[in-house]
């Protein structure tokens, strides 16, 4: 379904066995219409018009088991801490934007988005190693 000038994800709710979906190079602004896809593990939605971080929450709610997600070349990628937010909200990802996700990436995402980090505690504590 790539390169089709699609503006809205719709009409795939009945494809419950769908494992991979390629919607790259379209005109999609919002992540929606993915309800009822329990088998979806790979979503290519790069080179579209997605810009809202709220769409990551939609993915978390509708396809929490997703393993591979490509959002590259969307405005959302320019948001500060984009990678860390996505990795924190979609914990099952093993590939984001064509790059493997490591345990170190997951740990860093957790640290970067925490209000209190281990470094912050050490910095403000009276403990001397």
């Amino acid at each position: 379904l790539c390169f089709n000038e699609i503006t809205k994800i719709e009409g795939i709710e009945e494809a419950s066995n769908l494992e991979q979906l390629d919607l790259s190079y379209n005109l999609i602004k919002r992540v929606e219409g993915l309800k009822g896809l329990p088998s979806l593990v790979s979503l290519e939605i790069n080179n579209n018009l997605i810009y809202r971080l709220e769409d990551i929450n939609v993915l978390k709610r509708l396809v929490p088991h997703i393993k591979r997600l490509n959002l590259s070349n969307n405005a959302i990628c320019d948001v500060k801490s984009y990678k860390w937010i996505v990795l924190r909200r979609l914990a099952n990802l093993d590939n984001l934007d064509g790059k493997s996700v490591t345990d170190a990436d997951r740990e860093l995402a957790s640290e970067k988005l925490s209000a209190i980090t281990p470094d912050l505690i050490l910095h403000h504590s009276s403990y001397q190693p």
Side-chain angles (χ1 to χ4, degrees), residues 91-114:
N92 292 324
L93 284 182
D94 59 28
N95 191 293
L96 175 62
D97 297 338
K99 297 175 185 157
S100 294
V101 175
T102 65
D103 289 337
D105 289 332
R106 287 185 186 86
E107 188 174 314
L108 198 54
S110 182
E111 287 178 16
K112 285 191 173 283
L113 297 178
S114 296

PDB file of all heavy atoms in Angstrom, residues 91-114:
ATOM      1  N   ALA A  91       7.466  -1.032  24.514  1.00  0.00           N
ATOM      2  CA  ALA A  91       8.547  -1.813  25.118  1.00  0.00           C
ATOM      3  C   ALA A  91       8.935  -3.065  24.333  1.00  0.00           C
ATOM      4  O   ALA A  91      10.033  -3.582  24.514  1.00  0.00           O
ATOM      5  CB  ALA A  91       8.161  -2.202  26.542  1.00  0.00           C
ATOM      6  N   ASN A  92       8.072  -3.559  23.461  1.00  0.00           N
ATOM      7  CA  ASN A  92       8.373  -4.789  22.727  1.00  0.00           C
ATOM      8  C   ASN A  92       9.145  -4.564  21.430  1.00  0.00           C
ATOM      9  O   ASN A  92       9.491  -5.518  20.745  1.00  0.00           O
ATOM     10  CB  ASN A  92       7.076  -5.539  22.402  1.00  0.00           C
ATOM     11  CG  ASN A  92       6.422  -6.070  23.644  1.00  0.00           C
ATOM     12  OD1 ASN A  92       7.100  -6.488  24.576  1.00  0.00           O
ATOM     13  ND2 ASN A  92       5.111  -6.058  23.677  1.00  0.00           N
ATOM     14  N   LEU A  93       9.424  -3.320  21.086  1.00  0.00           N
ATOM     15  CA  LEU A  93      10.124  -3.050  19.829  1.00  0.00           C
ATOM     16  C   LEU A  93      11.521  -3.649  19.833  1.00  0.00           C
ATOM     17  O   LEU A  93      12.261  -3.516  20.811  1.00  0.00           O
ATOM     18  CB  LEU A  93      10.256  -1.542  19.585  1.00  0.00           C
ATOM     19  CG  LEU A  93       9.034  -0.779  19.127  1.00  0.00           C
ATOM     20  CD1 LEU A  93       9.386   0.687  18.906  1.00  0.00           C
ATOM     21  CD2 LEU A  93       8.440  -1.363  17.865  1.00  0.00           C
ATOM     22  N   ASP A  94      11.871  -4.315  18.734  1.00  0.00           N
ATOM     23  CA  ASP A  94      13.258  -4.745  18.563  1.00  0.00           C
ATOM     24  C   ASP A  94      13.908  -4.030  17.375  1.00  0.00           C
ATOM     25  O   ASP A  94      15.091  -4.178  17.124  1.00  0.00           O
ATOM     26  CB  ASP A  94      13.384  -6.261  18.437  1.00  0.00           C
ATOM     27  CG  ASP A  94      12.598  -6.851  17.278  1.00  0.00           C
ATOM     28  OD1 ASP A  94      12.378  -6.158  16.281  1.00  0.00           O
ATOM     29  OD2 ASP A  94      12.204  -8.026  17.385  1.00  0.00           O
ATOM     30  N   ASN A  95      13.101  -3.209  16.669  1.00  0.00           N
ATOM     31  CA  ASN A  95      13.630  -2.427  15.565  1.00  0.00           C
ATOM     32  C   ASN A  95      12.811  -1.141  15.440  1.00  0.00           C
ATOM     33  O   ASN A  95      11.592  -1.196  15.339  1.00  0.00           O
ATOM     34  CB  ASN A  95      13.567  -3.228  14.261  1.00  0.00           C
ATOM     35  CG  ASN A  95      14.333  -2.573  13.151  1.00  0.00           C
ATOM     36  OD1 ASN A  95      13.963  -1.510  12.671  1.00  0.00           O
ATOM     37  ND2 ASN A  95      15.413  -3.217  12.723  1.00  0.00           N
ATOM     38  N   LEU A  96      13.494  -0.014  15.457  1.00  0.00           N
ATOM     39  CA  LEU A  96      12.843   1.294  15.317  1.00  0.00           C
ATOM     40  C   LEU A  96      13.538   2.065  14.201  1.00  0.00           C
ATOM     41  O   LEU A  96      14.760   2.254  14.238  1.00  0.00           O
ATOM     42  CB  LEU A  96      12.907   2.094  16.620  1.00  0.00           C
ATOM     43  CG  LEU A  96      12.368   3.521  16.562  1.00  0.00           C
ATOM     44  CD1 LEU A  96      10.877   3.540  16.210  1.00  0.00           C
ATOM     45  CD2 LEU A  96      12.600   4.244  17.890  1.00  0.00           C
ATOM     46  N   ASP A  97      12.772   2.471  13.227  1.00  0.00           N
ATOM     47  CA  ASP A  97      13.269   3.262  12.105  1.00  0.00           C
ATOM     48  C   ASP A  97      14.442   2.581  11.391  1.00  0.00           C
ATOM     49  O   ASP A  97      15.421   3.218  10.992  1.00  0.00           O
ATOM     50  CB  ASP A  97      13.658   4.674  12.561  1.00  0.00           C
ATOM     51  CG  ASP A  97      12.458   5.440  13.101  1.00  0.00           C
ATOM     52  OD1 ASP A  97      11.316   5.074  12.761  1.00  0.00           O
ATOM     53  OD2 ASP A  97      12.660   6.403  13.858  1.00  0.00           O
ATOM     54  N   GLY A  98      14.343   1.261  11.266  1.00  0.00           N
ATOM     55  CA  GLY A  98      15.356   0.504  10.541  1.00  0.00           C
ATOM     56  C   GLY A  98      16.596   0.170  11.333  1.00  0.00           C
ATOM     57  O   GLY A  98      17.553  -0.389  10.796  1.00  0.00           O
ATOM     58  N   LYS A  99      16.606   0.484  12.621  1.00  0.00           N
ATOM     59  CA  LYS A  99      17.772   0.214  13.466  1.00  0.00           C
ATOM     60  C   LYS A  99      17.380  -0.718  14.610  1.00  0.00           C
ATOM     61  O   LYS A  99      16.320  -0.546  15.220  1.00  0.00           O
ATOM     62  CB  LYS A  99      18.334   1.511  14.027  1.00  0.00           C
ATOM     63  CG  LYS A  99      18.836   2.444  12.954  1.00  0.00           C
ATOM     64  CD  LYS A  99      19.283   3.769  13.522  1.00  0.00           C
ATOM     65  CE  LYS A  99      19.659   4.701  12.381  1.00  0.00           C
ATOM     66  NZ  LYS A  99      19.581   6.083  12.761  1.00  0.00           N
ATOM     67  N   SER A 100      18.245  -1.666  14.906  1.00  0.00           N
ATOM     68  CA  SER A 100      17.988  -2.590  16.004  1.00  0.00           C
ATOM     69  C   SER A 100      17.926  -1.849  17.328  1.00  0.00           C
ATOM     70  O   SER A 100      18.681  -0.901  17.551  1.00  0.00           O
ATOM     71  CB  SER A 100      19.087  -3.654  16.084  1.00  0.00           C
ATOM     72  OG  SER A 100      19.047  -4.480  14.954  1.00  0.00           O
ATOM     73  N   VAL A 101      17.029  -2.299  18.191  1.00  0.00           N
ATOM     74  CA  VAL A 101      16.898  -1.726  19.535  1.00  0.00           C
ATOM     75  C   VAL A 101      17.636  -2.645  20.501  1.00  0.00           C
ATOM     76  O   VAL A 101      17.377  -3.847  20.543  1.00  0.00           O
ATOM     77  CB  VAL A 101      15.413  -1.612  19.940  1.00  0.00           C
ATOM     78  CG1 VAL A 101      15.288  -1.137  21.383  1.00  0.00           C
ATOM     79  CG2 VAL A 101      14.668  -0.683  18.990  1.00  0.00           C
ATOM     80  N   THR A 102      18.559  -2.095  21.251  1.00  0.00           N
ATOM     81  CA  THR A 102      19.344  -2.877  22.197  1.00  0.00           C
ATOM     82  C   THR A 102      18.812  -2.696  23.618  1.00  0.00           C
ATOM     83  O   THR A 102      18.031  -1.780  23.884  1.00  0.00           O
ATOM     84  CB  THR A 102      20.822  -2.437  22.166  1.00  0.00           C
ATOM     85  OG1 THR A 102      20.898  -1.075  22.646  1.00  0.00           O
ATOM     86  CG2 THR A 102      21.402  -2.527  20.759  1.00  0.00           C
ATOM     87  N   ASP A 103      19.271  -3.556  24.498  1.00  0.00           N
ATOM     88  CA  ASP A 103      18.919  -3.409  25.917  1.00  0.00           C
ATOM     89  C   ASP A 103      19.449  -2.079  26.454  1.00  0.00           C
ATOM     90  O   ASP A 103      18.817  -1.435  27.282  1.00  0.00           O
ATOM     91  CB  ASP A 103      19.469  -4.570  26.739  1.00  0.00           C
ATOM     92  CG  ASP A 103      18.729  -5.874  26.463  1.00  0.00           C
ATOM     93  OD1 ASP A 103      17.565  -5.827  25.996  1.00  0.00           O
ATOM     94  OD2 ASP A 103      19.317  -6.948  26.703  1.00  0.00           O
ATOM     95  N   ALA A 104      20.609  -1.677  25.957  1.00  0.00           N
ATOM     96  CA  ALA A 104      21.183  -0.387  26.377  1.00  0.00           C
ATOM     97  C   ALA A 104      20.278   0.761  25.950  1.00  0.00           C
ATOM     98  O   ALA A 104      20.100   1.727  26.703  1.00  0.00           O
ATOM     99  CB  ALA A 104      22.579  -0.219  25.798  1.00  0.00           C
ATOM    100  N   ASP A 105      19.682   0.666  24.753  1.00  0.00           N
ATOM    101  CA  ASP A 105      18.739   1.691  24.295  1.00  0.00           C
ATOM    102  C   ASP A 105      17.540   1.769  25.235  1.00  0.00           C
ATOM    103  O   ASP A 105      17.093   2.853  25.592  1.00  0.00           O
ATOM    104  CB  ASP A 105      18.229   1.379  22.883  1.00  0.00           C
ATOM    105  CG  ASP A 105      19.272   1.558  21.803  1.00  0.00           C
ATOM    106  OD1 ASP A 105      20.185   2.387  21.983  1.00  0.00           O
ATOM    107  OD2 ASP A 105      19.167   0.861  20.771  1.00  0.00           O
ATOM    108  N   ARG A 106      17.015   0.605  25.606  1.00  0.00           N
ATOM    109  CA  ARG A 106      15.843   0.568  26.496  1.00  0.00           C
ATOM    110  C   ARG A 106      16.170   1.182  27.862  1.00  0.00           C
ATOM    111  O   ARG A 106      15.386   1.924  28.426  1.00  0.00           O
ATOM    112  CB  ARG A 106      15.356  -0.861  26.668  1.00  0.00           C
ATOM    113  CG  ARG A 106      14.658  -1.409  25.461  1.00  0.00           C
ATOM    114  CD  ARG A 106      14.087  -2.807  25.744  1.00  0.00           C
ATOM    115  NE  ARG A 106      13.540  -3.363  24.538  1.00  0.00           N
ATOM    116  CZ  ARG A 106      14.235  -4.041  23.630  1.00  0.00           C
ATOM    117  NH1 ARG A 106      15.516  -4.255  23.821  1.00  0.00           N
ATOM    118  NH2 ARG A 106      13.656  -4.505  22.550  1.00  0.00           N
ATOM    119  N   GLU A 107      17.355   0.840  28.363  1.00  0.00           N
ATOM    120  CA  GLU A 107      17.778   1.378  29.656  1.00  0.00           C
ATOM    121  C   GLU A 107      17.954   2.888  29.580  1.00  0.00           C
ATOM    122  O   GLU A 107      17.520   3.626  30.465  1.00  0.00           O
ATOM    123  CB  GLU A 107      19.088   0.708  30.086  1.00  0.00           C
ATOM    124  CG  GLU A 107      19.493   1.058  31.495  1.00  0.00           C
ATOM    125  CD  GLU A 107      20.717   0.271  31.930  1.00  0.00           C
ATOM    126  OE1 GLU A 107      20.760  -0.951  31.699  1.00  0.00           O
ATOM    127  OE2 GLU A 107      21.619   0.897  32.521  1.00  0.00           O
ATOM    128  N   LEU A 108      18.559   3.348  28.520  1.00  0.00           N
ATOM    129  CA  LEU A 108      18.764   4.783  28.329  1.00  0.00           C
ATOM    130  C   LEU A 108      17.425   5.509  28.199  1.00  0.00           C
ATOM    131  O   LEU A 108      17.239   6.595  28.751  1.00  0.00           O
ATOM    132  CB  LEU A 108      19.626   5.027  27.096  1.00  0.00           C
ATOM    133  CG  LEU A 108      20.286   6.385  26.958  1.00  0.00           C
ATOM    134  CD1 LEU A 108      21.098   6.749  28.189  1.00  0.00           C
ATOM    135  CD2 LEU A 108      21.179   6.399  25.726  1.00  0.00           C
ATOM    136  N   ALA A 109      16.479   4.903  27.497  1.00  0.00           N
ATOM    137  CA  ALA A 109      15.144   5.491  27.359  1.00  0.00           C
ATOM    138  C   ALA A 109      14.490   5.637  28.725  1.00  0.00           C
ATOM    139  O   ALA A 109      13.875   6.662  29.033  1.00  0.00           O
ATOM    140  CB  ALA A 109      14.274   4.633  26.451  1.00  0.00           C
ATOM    141  N   SER A 110      14.643   4.623  29.537  1.00  0.00           N
ATOM    142  CA  SER A 110      14.065   4.663  30.878  1.00  0.00           C
ATOM    143  C   SER A 110      14.702   5.762  31.719  1.00  0.00           C
ATOM    144  O   SER A 110      14.019   6.509  32.414  1.00  0.00           O
ATOM    145  CB  SER A 110      14.252   3.307  31.552  1.00  0.00           C
ATOM    146  OG  SER A 110      13.675   3.309  32.826  1.00  0.00           O
ATOM    147  N   GLU A 111      16.014   5.880  31.627  1.00  0.00           N
ATOM    148  CA  GLU A 111      16.726   6.905  32.391  1.00  0.00           C
ATOM    149  C   GLU A 111      16.408   8.309  31.896  1.00  0.00           C
ATOM    150  O   GLU A 111      16.190   9.214  32.690  1.00  0.00           O
ATOM    151  CB  GLU A 111      18.235   6.668  32.316  1.00  0.00           C
ATOM    152  CG  GLU A 111      18.707   5.497  33.124  1.00  0.00           C
ATOM    153  CD  GLU A 111      20.205   5.266  32.990  1.00  0.00           C
ATOM    154  OE1 GLU A 111      20.926   6.185  32.521  1.00  0.00           O
ATOM    155  OE2 GLU A 111      20.651   4.173  33.347  1.00  0.00           O
ATOM    156  N   LYS A 112      16.408   8.499  30.588  1.00  0.00           N
ATOM    157  CA  LYS A 112      16.203   9.839  30.034  1.00  0.00           C
ATOM    158  C   LYS A 112      14.807  10.387  30.314  1.00  0.00           C
ATOM    159  O   LYS A 112      14.616  11.582  30.380  1.00  0.00           O
ATOM    160  CB  LYS A 112      16.453   9.840  28.528  1.00  0.00           C
ATOM    161  CG  LYS A 112      17.906   9.781  28.165  1.00  0.00           C
ATOM    162  CD  LYS A 112      18.093  10.043  26.704  1.00  0.00           C
ATOM    163  CE  LYS A 112      19.537  10.160  26.340  1.00  0.00           C
ATOM    164  NZ  LYS A 112      20.142  11.422  26.695  1.00  0.00           N
ATOM    165  N   LEU A 113      13.838   9.507  30.458  1.00  0.00           N
ATOM    166  CA  LEU A 113      12.465   9.969  30.661  1.00  0.00           C
ATOM    167  C   LEU A 113      12.004   9.862  32.109  1.00  0.00           C
ATOM    168  O   LEU A 113      10.849  10.092  32.407  1.00  0.00           O
ATOM    169  CB  LEU A 113      11.519   9.191  29.738  1.00  0.00           C
ATOM    170  CG  LEU A 113      11.782   9.418  28.250  1.00  0.00           C
ATOM    171  CD1 LEU A 113      10.854   8.577  27.414  1.00  0.00           C
ATOM    172  CD2 LEU A 113      11.643  10.879  27.879  1.00  0.00           C
ATOM    173  N   SER A 114      12.914   9.500  32.984  1.00  0.00           N
ATOM    174  CA  SER A 114      12.573   9.438  34.405  1.00  0.00           C
ATOM    175  C   SER A 114      12.812  10.796  35.039  1.00  0.00           C
ATOM    176  O   SER A 114      13.777  11.483  34.717  1.00  0.00           O
ATOM    177  CB  SER A 114      13.434   8.394  35.125  1.00  0.00           C
ATOM    178  OG  SER A 114      13.165   7.113  34.632  1.00  0.00           O
TER     179      SER A 114
END
